[in-house]
Amino acid sequence: MESCAACGKIDAGLKACAACMLVKYCNANCQIAHWSEHKKACRKKARELFDLKLFAHPPAREDCPICMLPLPFGIECTYMSCCGKYICTGCVCNLTRAVCPYCNTKRPRDKADEIKRLFERMEKFNDANAMNNLGSFYKMGTNGLQIDYSKAVELFQRAGELGSAAAHYSLGNLYYFGEGVKRDTKKAVHHWQIAAMMGNECARHNLGVIEENNGNHDRAMKHLMISAKCGHDDSSRAVKKAFMTGRVAKSDFEVTLHAHKALQDEMKSDQRDSVRRRMPVVGKIPAGPELKTTEKP
């Protein structure tokens, strides 16, 4: 039987320090009394436990419910406001019928009808993806909505609380660029960390860039190799550049490159390629920090 770290009392009902799980206490008073002695070890262990979660392999990408291939990135998948499913554009654009390929509901008549459906899904089903999409429309002023950062932040926060990785990623971007909120890099990193642990490869890439620019090369490469394995092209290029300058081991580079190519190949299909060729070429939209130029040490 263990004893209280503060008063030494032996009791079966002691509660562990929630941050580090290293020691146990009788009650909050004992924990407060012992804090000055315990805080250094507690904070160190808490950081170690957090890093175990942060750098764990993220969950696999969701599959398109029609073709059953991993969903592609960004604009190459479409949220269906009728059933709440994300479907790849290959399956959406290559169908001749004007209905949802998953639930056979008629597609929205126009942008106003789409917005109405999103609000209905948000109100009836507490749908985090509907909230995230509406937040994006308010942020960019698209689909008939005027730019309203306060509404965008509110919707992203609600969606994030319901488990939307994309919403946490968007909140990170707002805080990093100071769009509609006071610029706060710590809050940006906080939201990107949550998104990354939920499998958002873009948030993971941004964390890698932040760490690299701050001189934390080992942590940066951990992030960038994970996001590259999840299919992120910019991360793959960053890892390749680090390998070429002798800052990443050959074995790590080869494993990362193989995983990146394997996922990219898995996401390919003739339908998706056909749609991609018809998509307009657009300029790159800033979505996070840029890597600073680094020279070989």
Side-chain angles (χ1 to χ4, degrees):
M1 194 174 294
E2 296 179 278
S3 61
C4 174
C7 67
K9 179 181 178 181
I10 298 175
D11 193 335
L14 298 176
K15 294 184 178 181
C17 173
C20 67
M21 308 300 289
L22 288 174
V23 293
K24 293 186 176 182
Y25 299 102
C26 302
N27 50 47
N29 290 333
C30 280
Q31 187 171 12
I32 293 170
H34 190 243
W35 177 240
S36 60
E37 181 181 341
H38 174 58
K39 63 182 178 181
K40 186 176 180 179
C42 180
R43 287 170 177 168
K44 181 175 182 293
K45 185 63 176 178
R47 287 193 297 270
E48 293 172 357
L49 292 174
F50 179 75
D51 278 355
L52 285 176
K53 293 191 292 184
L54 180 61
F55 292 111
H57 198 278
R61 297 188 69 79
E62 273 188 70
D63 291 338
C64 170
I66 306 302
C67 64
M68 300 307 294
L69 296 175
L71 283 169
F73 304 110
I75 61 172
E76 292 188 37
C77 60
T78 301
Y79 176 75
M80 310 305 292
S81 57
C82 45
C83 55
K85 297 291 184 182
Y86 271 105
I87 297 177
C88 75
T89 50
C91 290
V92 172
C93 295
N94 283 289
L95 292 173
T96 55
R97 298 170 61 204
V99 297
C100 170
Y102 184 80
C103 68
N104 279 328
T105 301
K106 284 186 178 181
R107 301 287 298 278
R109 296 184 303 273
D110 50 30
K111 291 179 180 179
D113 192 25
E114 171 78 1
I115 294 297
K116 180 182 176 182
R117 291 189 184 190
L118 288 172
F119 274 108
E120 287 176 353
R121 286 205 63 84
M122 181 178 73
E123 292 163 3
K124 290 182 180 179
F125 304 107
N126 220 20
D127 187 327
N129 290 325
M131 294 175 195
N132 180 62
N133 276 273
L134 284 169
S136 296
F137 296 153
Y138 275 119
K139 174 182 178 290
M140 296 182 291
T142 56
N143 285 46
L145 297 179
Q146 298 296 316
I147 291 177
D148 190 327
Y149 282 113
S150 62
K151 287 184 179 179
V153 170
E154 179 187 350
L155 287 163
F156 287 145
Q157 287 175 337
R158 288 180 61 189
E161 289 168 2
L162 291 170
S164 170
H168 280 293
Y169 170 66
S170 294
L171 281 169
N173 290 345
L174 289 178
Y175 279 110
Y176 183 80
F177 289 109
E179 295 178 317
V181 293
K182 184 178 179 180
R183 188 174 186 192
D184 190 325
T185 303
K186 286 186 178 180
K187 286 185 178 179
V189 167
H190 168 72
H191 285 290
W192 286 338
Q193 286 175 334
I194 296 173
M197 289 187 282
M198 296 171 71
N200 188 293
E201 67 286 336
C202 296
R204 176 80 65 180
H205 173 80
N206 286 352
L207 291 173
V209 173
I210 288 283
E211 293 286 8
E212 181 72 5
N213 289 345
N214 288 339
N216 302 321
H217 175 71
D218 290 343
R219 293 178 66 85
M221 287 303 115
K222 284 183 181 180
H223 282 305
L224 293 172
M225 285 190 283
I226 292 172
S227 53
K229 291 174 184 176
C230 292
H232 198 284
D233 289 335
D234 286 346
S235 288
S236 180
R237 286 189 282 269
V239 173
K240 180 179 179 180
K241 184 175 180 180
F243 167 69
M244 297 295 289
T245 54
R247 295 180 297 131
V248 167
K250 182 180 180 180
S251 58
D252 290 335
F253 170 64
E254 289 176 343
V255 169
T256 302
L257 186 67
H258 175 77
H260 177 266
K261 185 178 184 303
L263 181 58
Q264 292 284 355
D265 289 344
E266 193 178 355
M267 289 191 292
K268 283 184 179 179
S269 74
D270 291 340
Q271 287 181 322
R272 293 179 183 182
D273 288 343
S274 173
V275 173
R276 194 175 292 115
R277 286 193 293 269
R278 301 199 299 268
M279 281 184 173
V281 177
V282 296
K284 186 176 180 182
I285 301 172
E290 297 289 332
L291 270 173
K292 295 176 182 176
T293 303
T294 53
E295 300 297 332
K296 183 176 179 180

